[in-house]
Amino acid sequence: ATARMSFAGDGGKTGATFERAVLGDGTPVVIKHVTPADWAMIVSGGVSHLDRLWWAGVFSRVPASIDHTMIAIEPNRDGLIIVMQDVSKHVLAEGRILSREENRRVLEALDEMYREFWEEELPGCPLDQHFAVFTPALTGRLSDLGSPIPPLMRRGWEMFAEVAPADVGHVMSVLLDDPAPLVQQLDKQPKTLTHGDVRLHNLGLNADRVVLLDWELAGNAPPAVDFAWYLVISASRIAATREDVIADFREVSGDRFDARALELSVIAALFFLGWNKALDIVENPDPAIRVQERADLDWWVARVRAALETWSPT
Protein backbone atom coordinates (compact mmCIF):
# COMPACT_ATOMS: atom_id res chain seq x y z
CA ALA A 1 0.00 0.00 0.00
CA THR A 2 1.19 3.49 -0.84
CA ALA A 3 -1.36 5.21 1.43
CA ARG A 4 -3.49 4.06 4.37
CA MET A 5 -6.14 5.77 6.45
CA SER A 6 -8.64 4.50 9.01
CA PHE A 7 -12.35 5.09 8.67
CA ALA A 8 -15.50 4.15 10.55
CA GLY A 9 -17.46 1.30 8.99
CA ASP A 10 -20.48 -0.63 10.16
CA GLY A 11 -18.12 -3.33 11.36
CA GLY A 12 -17.26 -1.05 14.25
CA LYS A 13 -20.55 -2.21 15.79
CA THR A 14 -19.52 -5.85 15.51
CA GLY A 15 -15.91 -5.86 16.61
CA ALA A 16 -14.13 -5.21 13.28
CA THR A 17 -12.09 -2.19 12.24
CA PHE A 18 -11.46 -0.77 8.77
CA GLU A 19 -8.84 1.07 6.76
CA ARG A 20 -8.88 2.56 3.29
CA ALA A 21 -5.69 2.12 1.29
CA VAL A 22 -4.23 2.51 -2.17
CA LEU A 23 -2.12 -0.31 -3.56
CA GLY A 24 1.09 0.22 -5.49
CA ASP A 25 -0.73 -0.26 -8.82
CA GLY A 26 -3.25 2.46 -7.89
CA THR A 27 -6.09 0.12 -6.86
CA PRO A 28 -8.17 1.62 -4.04
CA VAL A 29 -9.01 -0.98 -1.39
CA VAL A 30 -10.74 -1.42 1.94
CA ILE A 31 -8.92 -3.47 4.59
CA LYS A 32 -11.07 -5.14 7.24
CA HIS A 33 -9.36 -6.28 10.44
CA VAL A 34 -11.14 -9.20 12.10
CA THR A 35 -10.15 -10.33 15.62
CA PRO A 36 -11.48 -13.08 17.89
CA ALA A 37 -13.72 -10.38 19.42
CA ASP A 38 -15.56 -9.91 16.11
CA TRP A 39 -19.17 -11.10 16.17
CA ALA A 40 -18.67 -13.53 13.27
CA MET A 41 -15.78 -15.21 15.11
CA ILE A 42 -17.82 -15.41 18.32
CA VAL A 43 -20.74 -16.98 16.46
CA SER A 44 -18.50 -19.62 14.90
CA GLY A 45 -16.51 -20.46 18.03
CA GLY A 46 -13.34 -18.73 16.83
CA VAL A 47 -13.37 -20.16 13.28
CA SER A 48 -13.67 -17.96 10.19
CA HIS A 49 -15.98 -19.69 7.74
CA LEU A 50 -15.25 -16.91 5.26
CA ASP A 51 -11.54 -17.73 5.46
CA ARG A 52 -12.30 -21.40 4.78
CA LEU A 53 -14.42 -20.55 1.76
CA TRP A 54 -11.66 -18.32 0.41
CA TRP A 55 -8.92 -20.94 0.68
CA ALA A 56 -11.23 -23.60 -0.76
CA GLY A 57 -11.29 -21.52 -3.95
CA VAL A 58 -15.01 -20.81 -3.77
CA PHE A 59 -14.72 -17.13 -4.65
CA SER A 60 -12.74 -17.89 -7.79
CA ARG A 61 -15.86 -19.68 -9.02
CA VAL A 62 -18.42 -16.99 -8.17
CA PRO A 63 -19.97 -16.04 -11.54
CA ALA A 64 -18.71 -12.89 -13.26
CA SER A 65 -22.13 -11.25 -12.88
CA ILE A 66 -21.33 -10.83 -9.15
CA ASP A 67 -18.49 -8.65 -7.92
CA HIS A 68 -17.65 -10.13 -4.51
CA THR A 69 -14.93 -7.43 -4.16
CA MET A 70 -12.47 -9.62 -2.28
CA ILE A 71 -8.79 -9.57 -3.23
CA ALA A 72 -7.13 -11.47 -0.38
CA ILE A 73 -7.65 -12.95 3.07
CA GLU A 74 -4.58 -13.41 5.23
CA PRO A 75 -3.97 -14.34 8.87
CA ASN A 76 -2.06 -12.04 11.18
CA ARG A 77 -1.21 -12.24 14.86
CA ASP A 78 -4.51 -10.62 15.86
CA GLY A 79 -6.82 -12.60 13.59
CA LEU A 80 -7.44 -11.94 9.90
CA ILE A 81 -7.19 -9.13 7.40
CA ILE A 82 -9.63 -9.08 4.50
CA VAL A 83 -8.60 -6.93 1.55
CA MET A 84 -11.43 -5.80 -0.74
CA GLN A 85 -11.76 -3.50 -3.70
CA ASP A 86 -13.13 -0.11 -2.68
CA VAL A 87 -16.48 -0.13 -4.51
CA SER A 88 -18.11 2.63 -2.48
CA LYS A 89 -19.08 4.55 -5.61
CA HIS A 90 -21.24 1.62 -6.74
CA VAL A 91 -22.92 0.79 -3.41
CA LEU A 92 -26.60 1.72 -3.27
CA ALA A 93 -27.16 4.98 -1.42
CA GLU A 94 -29.36 5.05 1.66
CA GLY A 95 -32.96 5.41 0.54
CA ARG A 96 -32.24 4.39 -3.05
CA ILE A 97 -35.27 2.64 -4.58
CA LEU A 98 -34.69 -0.25 -6.97
CA SER A 99 -36.92 -0.58 -9.99
CA ARG A 100 -38.47 -3.98 -10.59
CA GLU A 101 -36.04 -4.47 -13.48
CA GLU A 102 -33.02 -3.62 -11.31
CA ASN A 103 -34.26 -5.95 -8.61
CA ARG A 104 -34.69 -8.75 -11.12
CA ARG A 105 -31.10 -8.16 -12.19
CA VAL A 106 -30.04 -8.81 -8.59
CA LEU A 107 -32.13 -11.99 -8.44
CA GLU A 108 -30.68 -13.22 -11.74
CA ALA A 109 -27.08 -12.66 -10.61
CA LEU A 110 -27.74 -14.52 -7.37
CA ASP A 111 -29.37 -17.34 -9.30
CA GLU A 112 -26.23 -17.74 -11.41
CA MET A 113 -24.31 -18.32 -8.19
CA TYR A 114 -26.90 -20.76 -6.89
CA ARG A 115 -26.67 -22.76 -10.13
CA GLU A 116 -22.86 -22.84 -10.02
CA PHE A 117 -22.77 -24.42 -6.56
CA TRP A 118 -26.03 -26.37 -6.66
CA GLU A 119 -26.07 -29.19 -4.06
CA GLU A 120 -22.32 -28.96 -3.37
CA GLU A 121 -21.13 -29.30 0.22
CA LEU A 122 -19.05 -26.22 1.01
CA PRO A 123 -17.10 -25.16 4.14
CA GLY A 124 -19.23 -22.09 4.88
CA CYS A 125 -21.31 -20.94 7.84
CA PRO A 126 -23.57 -23.83 8.94
CA LEU A 127 -27.27 -23.05 8.96
CA ASP A 128 -27.58 -23.63 12.71
CA GLN A 129 -24.90 -21.00 13.41
CA HIS A 130 -26.58 -18.60 10.98
CA PHE A 131 -29.87 -18.93 12.89
CA ALA A 132 -28.12 -18.70 16.25
CA VAL A 133 -27.12 -15.11 15.40
CA PHE A 134 -30.74 -14.08 16.01
CA THR A 135 -31.31 -15.88 19.32
CA PRO A 136 -31.24 -14.21 22.75
CA ALA A 137 -28.70 -16.79 23.90
CA LEU A 138 -26.15 -15.44 21.43
CA THR A 139 -27.08 -11.75 21.31
CA GLY A 140 -26.47 -11.62 25.06
CA ARG A 141 -22.89 -12.75 24.43
CA LEU A 142 -22.47 -10.00 21.82
CA SER A 143 -23.45 -7.20 24.23
CA ASP A 144 -19.80 -6.66 25.18
CA LEU A 145 -19.11 -5.36 21.65
CA GLY A 146 -20.96 -2.17 22.49
CA SER A 147 -23.42 -2.72 19.65
CA PRO A 148 -26.89 -1.23 20.17
CA ILE A 149 -28.49 -4.23 18.44
CA PRO A 150 -28.79 -6.75 21.34
CA PRO A 151 -30.84 -4.44 23.63
CA LEU A 152 -32.95 -3.31 20.65
CA MET A 153 -33.69 -6.95 19.81
CA ARG A 154 -34.75 -7.69 23.38
CA ARG A 155 -37.08 -4.68 23.50
CA GLY A 156 -38.42 -5.38 20.01
CA TRP A 157 -39.42 -8.94 20.87
CA GLU A 158 -41.18 -7.69 23.99
CA MET A 159 -43.17 -5.32 21.77
CA PHE A 160 -43.83 -8.08 19.23
CA ALA A 161 -46.06 -9.77 21.78
CA GLU A 162 -48.17 -6.60 21.80
CA VAL A 163 -48.43 -5.95 18.05
CA ALA A 164 -48.63 -9.50 16.63
CA PRO A 165 -51.33 -12.15 17.03
CA ALA A 166 -50.78 -14.51 19.94
CA ASP A 167 -50.47 -17.64 17.78
CA VAL A 168 -47.66 -16.22 15.64
CA GLY A 169 -46.03 -14.63 18.68
CA HIS A 170 -45.97 -18.03 20.38
CA VAL A 171 -44.27 -19.65 17.39
CA MET A 172 -41.61 -16.94 17.33
CA SER A 173 -41.02 -17.38 21.06
CA VAL A 174 -40.56 -21.14 20.62
CA LEU A 175 -38.05 -20.59 17.79
CA LEU A 176 -36.12 -17.95 19.71
CA ASP A 177 -35.63 -20.50 22.47
CA ASP A 178 -34.56 -23.16 19.98
CA PRO A 179 -34.52 -22.70 16.19
CA ALA A 180 -33.19 -26.25 15.62
CA PRO A 181 -36.51 -27.72 14.41
CA LEU A 182 -36.77 -25.11 11.65
CA VAL A 183 -33.09 -25.48 10.74
CA GLN A 184 -33.56 -29.25 10.46
CA GLN A 185 -36.49 -28.82 8.09
CA LEU A 186 -34.53 -26.40 5.89
CA ASP A 187 -31.54 -28.74 5.89
CA LYS A 188 -33.71 -31.36 4.16
CA GLN A 189 -34.21 -29.10 1.12
CA PRO A 190 -31.76 -28.76 -1.81
CA LYS A 191 -28.94 -26.37 -0.87
CA THR A 192 -26.26 -24.30 -2.53
CA LEU A 193 -23.84 -21.48 -1.73
CA THR A 194 -25.85 -18.61 -0.26
CA HIS A 195 -24.60 -15.17 0.71
CA GLY A 196 -26.41 -15.08 4.04
CA ASP A 197 -27.00 -11.32 4.25
CA VAL A 198 -28.49 -10.14 0.95
CA ARG A 199 -29.94 -6.68 1.59
CA LEU A 200 -29.72 -3.33 -0.12
CA HIS A 201 -27.10 -2.06 2.34
CA ASN A 202 -24.77 -4.78 1.01
CA LEU A 203 -25.57 -4.30 -2.67
CA GLY A 204 -24.31 -2.14 -5.50
CA LEU A 205 -24.85 -1.91 -9.23
CA ASN A 206 -22.37 -0.99 -11.90
CA ALA A 207 -22.64 -1.19 -15.66
CA ASP A 208 -22.63 -4.98 -15.93
CA ARG A 209 -22.22 -6.51 -12.46
CA VAL A 210 -24.01 -6.74 -9.13
CA VAL A 211 -21.74 -5.77 -6.23
CA LEU A 212 -22.25 -7.92 -3.13
CA LEU A 213 -20.51 -7.13 0.16
CA ASP A 214 -20.14 -8.80 3.58
CA TRP A 215 -19.90 -12.55 3.04
CA GLU A 216 -19.38 -13.54 6.68
CA LEU A 217 -22.59 -15.63 6.79
CA ALA A 218 -22.03 -17.31 3.41
CA GLY A 219 -22.70 -21.03 3.58
CA ASN A 220 -24.92 -23.91 2.49
CA ALA A 221 -28.64 -23.22 2.53
CA PRO A 222 -31.68 -23.27 0.26
CA PRO A 223 -31.75 -20.11 -1.92
CA ALA A 224 -35.12 -19.26 -0.36
CA VAL A 225 -33.36 -18.43 2.93
CA ASP A 226 -31.37 -15.69 1.13
CA PHE A 227 -34.49 -14.53 -0.69
CA ALA A 228 -36.84 -14.37 2.30
CA TRP A 229 -34.29 -12.36 4.32
CA TYR A 230 -33.85 -10.02 1.36
CA LEU A 231 -37.61 -9.59 1.07
CA VAL A 232 -38.28 -8.94 4.74
CA ILE A 233 -35.49 -6.37 5.12
CA SER A 234 -35.51 -4.66 1.69
CA ALA A 235 -39.03 -4.84 0.21
CA SER A 236 -39.85 -1.23 1.14
CA ARG A 237 -37.04 -0.08 -1.18
CA ILE A 238 -38.17 -2.04 -4.25
CA ALA A 239 -40.66 -0.45 -6.66
CA ALA A 240 -42.74 -3.62 -6.91
CA THR A 241 -45.18 -5.48 -4.71
CA ARG A 242 -43.92 -8.34 -2.60
CA GLU A 243 -46.04 -10.65 -4.76
CA ASP A 244 -44.27 -9.34 -7.88
CA VAL A 245 -40.85 -9.89 -6.30
CA ILE A 246 -41.82 -13.44 -5.30
CA ALA A 247 -43.09 -14.10 -8.83
CA ASP A 248 -39.77 -12.90 -10.26
CA PHE A 249 -37.84 -15.13 -7.83
CA ARG A 250 -39.97 -18.10 -8.86
CA GLU A 251 -39.47 -17.39 -12.56
CA VAL A 252 -35.73 -16.80 -12.27
CA SER A 253 -35.31 -20.02 -10.25
CA GLY A 254 -36.96 -22.11 -12.95
CA ASP A 255 -37.15 -25.82 -12.21
CA ARG A 256 -35.05 -25.31 -9.05
CA PHE A 257 -37.81 -23.28 -7.41
CA ASP A 258 -38.61 -24.92 -4.07
CA ALA A 259 -42.05 -23.98 -2.73
CA ARG A 260 -41.47 -25.92 0.48
CA ALA A 261 -38.20 -24.11 1.19
CA LEU A 262 -39.90 -20.76 0.58
CA GLU A 263 -42.69 -21.56 3.06
CA LEU A 264 -40.14 -22.48 5.71
CA SER A 265 -38.01 -19.44 4.88
CA VAL A 266 -41.00 -17.13 5.34
CA ILE A 267 -41.18 -18.35 8.93
CA ALA A 268 -37.42 -17.84 9.22
CA ALA A 269 -37.63 -14.27 7.90
CA LEU A 270 -40.05 -13.22 10.64
CA PHE A 271 -37.83 -15.01 13.18
CA PHE A 272 -34.88 -12.94 11.86
CA LEU A 273 -36.57 -9.53 11.82
CA GLY A 274 -39.89 -9.57 13.69
CA TRP A 275 -38.31 -7.61 16.53
CA ASN A 276 -37.42 -4.74 14.17
CA LYS A 277 -40.91 -4.64 12.68
CA ALA A 278 -42.35 -4.30 16.19
CA LEU A 279 -39.93 -1.50 17.11
CA ASP A 280 -40.86 0.50 14.00
CA ILE A 281 -44.59 0.01 14.59
CA VAL A 282 -44.36 1.29 18.16
CA GLU A 283 -41.41 3.69 18.29
CA ASN A 284 -40.55 5.03 14.85
CA PRO A 285 -40.89 8.84 14.97
CA ASP A 286 -42.29 8.95 11.40
CA PRO A 287 -46.05 8.17 11.41
CA ALA A 288 -45.89 7.08 7.75
CA ILE A 289 -43.25 4.45 8.58
CA ARG A 290 -45.30 3.22 11.54
CA VAL A 291 -48.28 2.71 9.23
CA GLN A 292 -46.11 1.09 6.56
CA GLU A 293 -44.52 -1.33 9.03
CA ARG A 294 -47.92 -2.21 10.50
CA ALA A 295 -49.15 -3.20 7.03
CA ASP A 296 -45.90 -5.04 6.36
CA LEU A 297 -46.16 -7.06 9.57
CA ASP A 298 -49.77 -7.95 8.73
CA TRP A 299 -48.60 -9.29 5.36
CA TRP A 300 -45.87 -11.41 6.97
CA VAL A 301 -48.21 -12.71 9.65
CA ALA A 302 -50.63 -13.91 6.95
CA ARG A 303 -47.80 -15.63 5.05
CA VAL A 304 -46.41 -17.23 8.21
CA ARG A 305 -49.85 -18.50 9.21
CA ALA A 306 -50.24 -20.10 5.78
CA ALA A 307 -46.81 -21.73 6.12
CA LEU A 308 -47.64 -23.01 9.61
CA GLU A 309 -50.54 -24.99 8.17
CA THR A 310 -48.00 -27.45 6.72
CA TRP A 311 -45.30 -27.27 9.40
CA SER A 312 -44.97 -25.84 12.89
CA PRO A 313 -42.36 -26.13 15.66
CA THR A 314 -45.17 -26.42 18.25
Side-chain angles (χ1 to χ4, degrees):
T2 58
R4 296 172 73 163
M5 64 205 80
S6 62
F7 78 100
D10 285 342
K13 301 175 184 176
T14 60
T17 57
F18 292 84
E19 291 180 277
R20 277 200 167 97
V22 179
L23 301 185
D25 63 1
T27 302
V29 297
V30 170
I31 304 171
K32 182 175 183 178
H33 297 263
V34 179
T35 72
D38 180 75
W39 74 272
M41 298 286 272
I42 294 172
V43 167
S44 63
V47 173
S48 171
H49 297 298
L50 178 59
D51 184 52
R52 288 182 170 181
L53 285 170
W54 176 263
W55 290 106
V58 168
F59 288 98
S60 66
R61 293 175 52 200
V62 170
S65 57
I66 293 177
D67 182 357
H68 57 70
T69 77
M70 288 190 291
I71 296 172
I73 299 180
E74 297 287 351
N76 64 12
R77 63 183 180 182
D78 298 318
L80 294 171
I81 59 169
I82 303 171
V83 184
M84 302 163 282
Q85 298 173 58
D86 188 343
V87 293
S88 53
K89 65 181 180 181
H90 299 303
V91 174
L92 299 176
E94 185 69 34
R96 164 81 147 78
I97 304 296
L98 286 188
S99 68
R100 184 174 179 180
E101 293 73 21
E102 288 173 323
N103 184 67
R104 187 178 174 102
R105 181 179 158 196
V106 171
L107 297 179
E108 288 172 343
L110 287 168
D111 189 67
E112 285 191 45
M113 181 176 76
Y114 301 149
R115 281 189 277 120
E116 171 66 27
F117 297 97
W118 191 246
E119 296 198 276
E120 285 190 40
E121 288 295 326
L122 300 166
C125 180
L127 206 51
D128 60 345
Q129 289 185 10
H130 184 156
F131 274 63
V133 171
F134 299 90
T135 61
L138 187 66
T139 53
R141 292 169 56 199
L142 301 180
S143 297
D144 291 342
L145 297 178
S147 169
I149 300 300
L152 287 175
M153 291 179 75
R154 286 194 293 272
R155 193 162 82 250
W157 281 121
E158 290 169 1
M159 294 176 181
F160 191 85
E162 302 171 9
V163 300
D167 58 333
V168 174
H170 177 62
V171 168
M172 292 300 115
S173 178
V174 168
L175 290 174
L176 287 167
D177 284 340
D178 182 15
L182 181 54
V183 170
Q184 290 163 6
Q185 290 297 312
L186 283 163
D187 261 332
K188 296 176 183 178
Q189 308 309 122
K191 296 186 287 294
T192 185
L193 176 68
T194 51
H195 175 269
D197 194 11
V198 181
R199 54 191 171 114
L200 296 191
H201 289 88
N202 287 337
L203 282 167
L205 296 173
N206 59 29
D208 55 359
R209 305 179 79 188
V210 171
V211 175
L212 195 48
L213 305 173
D214 290 345
W215 293 77
E216 276 80 5
L217 289 176
N220 286 104
V225 175
D226 257 359
F227 173 75
W229 167 248
Y230 177 57
L231 191 66
V232 75
I233 199 169
S234 300
S236 63
R237 290 175 57 189
I238 301 170
T241 66
R242 285 177 293 269
E243 288 76 12
D244 285 341
V245 177
I246 292 171
D248 288 342
F249 173 65
R250 180 190 295 267
E251 184 178 336
V252 166
S253 300
D255 59 7
R256 285 168 290 98
F257 176 74
D258 187 339
R260 173 70 169 159
L262 183 57
E263 284 185 344
L264 294 167
S265 297
V266 163
I267 300 171
L270 197 59
F271 162 80
F272 293 153
L273 208 67
W275 63 274
N276 195 59
K277 299 289 180 192
L279 277 177
D280 275 333
I281 290 169
V282 176
E283 293 189 345
N284 196 289
D286 187 335
I289 292 179
R290 293 200 299 270
V291 170
Q292 172 187 295
E293 291 298 330
R294 174 73 265 179
D296 196 48
L297 179 61
D298 290 344
W299 185 91
W300 281 96
V301 163
R303 295 288 302 211
V304 167
R305 278 178 163 164
L308 291 172
E309 291 178 5
T310 59
W311 179 83
S312 174
T314 60

